[in-house]
Amino acid sequence: MKDVFSIEEVQKLEEQLALRGALQNITNRINAARDINQILVELKDEILGLFNAEAITIYVTDVPKSEIYSLVMAGTDVKEIRVSINTKSIAGYVAYRRVSVNIGNAYDKKELKSIDKELAFNDTWDKQTGFRTTQVMAVPLLYEDNLMGVIQVINQKDKFKFTEEETSFLEEIAYVLGIAFHNQQRMGGRKKTKFDYLLSQGLIKESDLDTAREEVKKTRQTIEDYLISALKISRDEVGKSFADFYNCKYVKFNPNQMVFENPVKNLRPEFLQRELWIPLEKVDGKIRVLVDNPGDILKRDMIESLLKTKKVIYDVALKEDILKFISAMYQQSGANEQSIGDLLGRLDDEEVVEEEEEGELVSETDSVITQLVNKIINDAYLMRSSDIHVEPNPIDKQVDIRFRIDGDCAHYQSVPYSYRAAIVSRLKIMSNLDITVRRLPQDGKIKFRRPKGEEIELRVATIPTQGNVEDVVMRILAKGDTLPLEAMGMSKRNYDETLKILAKPYGMILVVGPTGSGKTTTLHAALHHINTPDRKIWTAEDPVEITQRGLRQVQVHPKIGFDFATAMRAFLRADPDIIMVGEMRDFETARTGVEASLTGHLVLSTLHTNSAPETIVRLLDMGIDPLNFADALLGILAQRLIRTLCKNCKEVYHPSIEEFDSIVESYGREQFLKLNIPYTDDLTLYSPKGCDQCNQSGYRGRMGIHELLVGTDTIKRSVQKHETVEILREIAMSEGMTTLLQDGILKAIQGVTDFKQVYRVCIK
């Protein structure tokens, strides 16, 4: 029997005793913890020290979501991470199989498959943080066969793998944690407050809350007001804390979000401001209500009694945001203007006289109809709409009103079907159209003065549709400020070449694309760049949408014979340096434009063509002389507008190799190689998510994508030869032109938009 111990054995015994002491200390701390959040945030470092490791994560089970979650440090912030309980990650596998694992290299697929053929490693966190996971030791937290969570230790600093003894130590800690988590859940810990999220994230301490409670006794502030003003806690973080406490969604004020019209007649704004709630919108037959305290049972009973329904979804908002929503609902169209709900209520109360198929229209001059139409137009302007669609629906027996915002149509309101003729007639009267003509399309204009005095113009088109009804589409031609050329979103090459072209003393510059692609905006940005006191600039437009000092702008009237060609001939007698023509609609206008550019004038205009090379062929097919046009051509800019991702909520993702190959093929494999963008594990793109700022669409705003063909000598010779579109495109691309699709793909790679939006407006 050996009774003398070696120095190494003595040291080992001392180390084990020290570990046992540390383990006992951690056990005592776990049992004394105030709540689970304290364990997740404050005890990690002590446990980590036992194993001489780089990182530790303690997960808690979220049974309803079949996930485990934890709080981890990301720089100076505390963030929540969640992992599904399945075999797609190591922690998820441990929770799913309820077994311990000890892995030497998490990226070694053979080692993972030797443990379980379904086991995989999720490297998302490594990619987001730059951390490199190697060794992983993970143990389930159990209490009487109930999964309470998982504890995971990562990267042993001085070994290739955690030892079996260390695994045993971790299992002992896991046993204590399992009991502690069970006790916390059973006892409920301390009383939960609506500021627990802020505590768990390390944004405030308990002492801060105690101070806040004392301070608010001296003032009329709320605790959240004190935290925001004194401790500089962001409003969004406070809102998230409320949402976490009330288990609902946090909504902050968005001036562009449409407010559900007040469904309760005679409900005064003072009442809503005092009670702090507002109906926001209808979702799947339920009314979504914003309230400061979704847990107030008495307030909920009162709301449901007033709304006469139990189908209510309650979401939380801060007091200031609720007041802003109330103000928007009652005052956005003027202090004395009623809401859509009130107007429709008044219509419902009045006697409805259905018109005969060819009979006299009724109620088009009624004051309620007038107010209703005014509010529709005003709301569309406030919501940044470009078009208003009034669509009588004979199938559903209602009039649907939709707004086009950032290029996409969105439902605004439904109006009773019995008032379809009255609304259409009112719009016709405002447009100076014939209300007795219902079987032929008509077009006109409305000059509309908003409550605050500013004037907007609408281009109106009526179209007879199935069911003996008429649709009305109104394009809002809001007078806007001139944007600078650098705000057009051009690539460096396109921007530099555009400046060179604009510096020429004479020649022709064309901006081409479909209706609504921003051609006029781009032309005015170009004019703004060259608008100097020493130059005389004439413009002929239909209508004049954008005004700027220094331009002499003319509104054409084709119905009286004053068209673009006539205006241009008049300009040539009025000493111009630069001429801008709204559109080259016919041969006469195009021919006059070419002649003007050859006689010492810089001519800018637009055309409805799909691409820059196609524009050349279109003009030559119209009969324009190839020699003259070749001499005149300076450049052709084709453009489209694409929706941009919401900067507040866009998400990062790693594309699959299949998606990457599809992008390369769409761009052109040879051209894409020149970009030097290889497929790597850290390649990231962006996708839409949806938040309150973008009305849950994931997109907010639009920007241009461009294709600039420069009139080089080679291009001019090709024009003279009347070459095909394909040859012209090849020559232009060899000289540096990127197509619309290529420019869109580059902007998607930069994270400005996504490929879905690019493919919606581009063809190869």
Side-chain angles (χ1 to χ4, degrees), residues 700-714:
R700 180 169 173 80
R702 290 191 292 176
M703 74 175 304
I705 56 175
H706 307 91
E707 174 181 295
L708 179 61
L709 180 149
V710 179
T712 61
D713 292 340
T714 308

Side-chain angles (χ1 to χ4, degrees), residues 639-658:
Q639 77 173 48
R640 300 288 188 278
L641 290 180
I642 54 173
R643 302 175 78 189
T644 53
L645 292 168
C646 175
K647 296 179 181 179
N648 184 60
C649 67
K650 64 180 181 180
E651 291 187 313
V652 177
Y653 77 97
H654 176 60
S656 64
I657 186 64
E658 292 79 14

Side-chain angles (χ1 to χ4, degrees), residues 500-509 530 535 576-579 593-604 628 630-635 711 716:
K500 291 178 184 177
I501 291 171
L502 290 172
K504 303 289 185 182
Y506 59 87
M508 177 176 283
I509 302 171
I530 56 179
R535 286 173 168 170
D577 292 305
I578 300 167
I579 297 172
V594 171
E595 291 177 355
S597 63
L598 292 174
T599 54
H601 307 98
L602 186 63
V603 178
L604 295 86
N628 288 342
D631 288 342
L633 179 63
L634 293 178
K716 290 177 183 289

Side-chain angles (χ1 to χ4, degrees), residues 245 328 356 531 673 712:
F245 178 72
E356 299 295 330
N531 182 7
L673 288 173
T712 61

Side-chain angles (χ1 to χ4, degrees), residues 251 257-265 267-269 271-273 275-283 286-291 302-304 306-307 309 311-315 322 325-330 339 341:
V251 179
Q257 181 167 350
M258 183 170 57
V259 179
F260 177 64
E261 299 299 342
N262 186 3
V264 185
K265 294 180 183 179
L267 195 60
R268 305 295 299 169
F271 171 77
L272 293 176
Q273 290 165 351
E275 297 297 328
L276 289 177
W277 67 276
I278 184 174
L280 188 66
E281 61 183 347
K282 267 192 174 179
V283 180
K286 296 181 179 180
I287 297 177
R288 185 172 171 220
V289 171
L290 284 190
V291 63
M302 177 264 293
I303 292 172
E304 290 165 13
L306 288 170
L307 297 179
T309 180
K311 297 180 178 180
V312 180
I313 301 171
Y314 293 97
D315 285 331
I322 294 176
F325 273 118
I326 294 171
S327 176
M329 184 171 76
Y330 281 94
S339 68

Side-chain angles (χ1 to χ4, degrees), residues 354-361 420-421 436 438-439 467-470:
E354 289 283 353
E355 74 274 11
E356 299 295 330
E357 184 174 335
E358 297 292 337
E360 184 70 22
L361 298 172
R420 62 196 182 280
T436 65
R438 301 174 57 189
R439 295 183 176 180
N468 195 33
V469 294
E470 289 179 279

Side-chain angles (χ1 to χ4, degrees), residues 467-491:
N468 195 33
V469 294
E470 289 179 279
D471 278 29
V472 181
V473 179
M474 294 173 279
R475 166 151 291 190
I476 299 176
L477 307 172
K479 297 183 185 298
D481 296 329
T482 306
L483 292 173
L485 198 60
E486 53 268 24
M488 294 295 102
M490 294 183 184
S491 66

